[in-house]
Amino acid sequence: MGGWAIAVHGGAGVDPNLPPQRQEEAKQLLTRCLNLGISALRSNLPAIDVVELVVRELETDPLFNSGRGSALTEKGTVEMEASIMDGKGRRCGAVSGLTTVKNPISLARLVMDKSPHSYLAFSGAEDFARQQGVELVDNEYFITEENKGMLKLAKEANTILFDYRIPLVGYETCGAGVESPLHMNGLPISVYAPETVGCVVVDSQGICAAATSTGGLMNKMTGRIGDSPLIGAGTYACDVCGVSCTGEGEAIIRGTLAREVAAVMEYKGLGLQDAVDFVIKERLDDGKAGLIAVSKTGEVAYGFNCNGMFRGCATEDGFMEVGIWE
């Protein structure tokens, strides 16, 4: 065993004109979450508990797109989704279409631990949340004034706003003003990816776990489901590695990105970073995305094919890194 390791992300696809203050706020949040996870690992918490703990913290802070601060649907409401997976036995839980659950990742954990199923969505997931006694809040709790402004901007542009964190003042210099849009399933979108959150951990026993949570795309159709709750696409953990993805959900789904990292490690014999690099290069086609990963031997890795990815990682031997750009 190589000791514990942890990585967190706050989304891939960062506007190059993102104000320095917002960059610093993001780094501070990532550092705080890393330190929370490190403390838990030093206290010998299992990997599955650590990923839930860290993602709950990310969901509670409105800076990134999960929990409070989630992106808004075309109707101005929030529909959240999340998944969690324990590499020990490949147990998993996932939820979609949540509108009142304060911490979606914890409901995903309860689906894994307290239900006979792996995935619950919309009214069924909300009913299960009430049965389990999890904390519920009004949908307004998740909605920020900034996101209301971003939805207005998206509607005026008649598009899915793929970087809804563009500042309201001076947005014309940021992603929404770029003239050569990417395409998602053949349709034009703005340039940068939403800031999904995730965490991957390998504990001192060599057990991996992964968790991912998001509000999805700004101005998305109601009922849209992305990669984050889909096991094997946005989240995957097994006895080899743990992976959490972020970026263009439709491309991540088509490439079964998270599972592919484990597959090329198992079947091609690649090391963790080589596996991540291979998958980012060979499995995204024209999509833009990123991912974080840990291996059972205590390695940590990340990769992305867009401008940047909010991420942080640390290992038991003292290594720690928080960054945004290449």
Side-chain angles (χ1 to χ4, degrees):
M1 297 300 174
W4 56 257
I6 179 173
V8 298
H9 72 72
V14 184
D15 195 307
N17 297 302
L18 193 69
Q21 180 182 351
R22 190 176 290 278
Q23 294 183 39
E24 187 57 34
E25 290 172 353
K27 287 180 179 179
Q28 289 175 2
L29 175 56
L30 292 168
T31 301
R32 186 173 86 232
C33 291
L34 263 186
N35 284 329
L36 180 67
I38 290 169
S39 177
L41 285 163
R42 286 174 175 166
S43 299
N44 293 318
L45 257 67
I48 192 68
D49 291 344
V50 180
V51 294
E52 180 186 4
L53 178 70
V54 170
V55 171
R56 279 180 63 94
E57 184 73 10
L58 288 162
E59 289 175 338
T60 302
D61 193 296
L63 184 65
F64 293 134
N65 173 19
S66 65
R68 186 163 181 262
S70 282
L72 305 182
T73 69
E74 60 188 356
K75 295 182 179 179
T77 59
V78 165
E79 291 182 355
M80 300 165 291
E81 49 197 23
S83 64
I84 191 168
M85 190 165 188
D86 189 345
K88 186 177 182 180
R90 286 187 290 218
R91 300 168 59 246
C92 61
V95 289
S96 287
L98 300 183
T99 59
T100 65
V101 177
K102 187 175 182 180
N103 290 107
I105 197 64
S106 290
L107 187 63
R109 175 76 185 271
L110 287 168
V111 171
M112 180 178 77
D113 288 343
K114 301 294 185 179
S115 88
H117 307 303
S118 295
Y119 195 164
L120 294 175
F122 296 93
S123 61
E126 296 276 345
D127 290 344
F128 179 69
R130 285 188 285 273
Q131 293 168 12
Q132 293 298 314
V134 304
E135 186 173 2
L136 304 178
V137 293
D138 292 336
N139 199 249
E140 284 293 323
Y141 163 83
F142 304 104
I143 299 172
T144 64
E145 288 301 315
E146 182 182 39
N147 283 351
K148 288 180 181 178
M150 293 302 99
L151 180 61
K152 182 174 182 290
L153 182 64
K155 286 185 175 298
E156 289 172 353
N158 194 30
T159 186
I160 296 168
L161 194 58
F162 211 37
D163 179 12
Y164 71 94
R165 294 295 175 174
I166 297 164
L168 287 175
V169 178
Y171 71 82
E172 63 277 358
T173 66
C174 296
V178 177
E179 294 182 353
S180 299
L182 298 171
H183 288 73
M184 182 161 61
N185 283 349
L187 299 176
I189 55 171
S190 298
V191 173
Y192 301 103
E195 296 156 356
T196 296
V197 305
C199 180
V200 293
V201 165
V202 58
D203 60 27
S204 58
Q205 303 302 308
I207 297 171
C208 300
T212 312
S213 181
T214 190
L217 300 173
M218 183 63 73
N219 200 27
K220 67 182 179 180
M221 296 173 65
T222 55
R224 182 261 186 185
I225 294 173
D227 68 286
S228 296
L230 300 184
I231 299 302
T235 304
Y236 191 73
C238 60
D239 59 358
V240 174
C241 64
V243 184
S244 174
C245 301
T246 171
E248 185 188 329
E250 280 67 13
I252 293 169
I253 292 168
R254 293 194 303 271
T256 57
L257 215 62
R259 169 58 188 157
E260 281 292 289
V261 174
V264 296
M265 291 181 73
E266 293 176 34
Y267 304 138
K268 291 176 70 72
L270 297 185
L272 184 67
Q273 187 65 62
D274 286 342
V276 168
D277 293 342
F278 176 87
V279 167
I280 292 292
K281 181 179 179 182
E282 302 292 341
R283 294 293 182 265
L284 278 168
D285 301 318
D286 294 325
K288 299 295 183 183
L291 62 86
I292 54 173
V294 292
S295 74
K296 66 179 181 180
T297 57
E299 300 169 290
V300 64
Y302 60 83
F304 52 93
N305 66 352
C306 39
N307 282 330
M309 179 171 70
F310 296 105
R311 83 275 179 183
C313 50
T315 58
E316 189 170 355
D317 62 11
F319 169 77
M320 184 171 177
E321 173 186 295
V322 174
I324 301 175
W325 314 109
E326 287 279 8

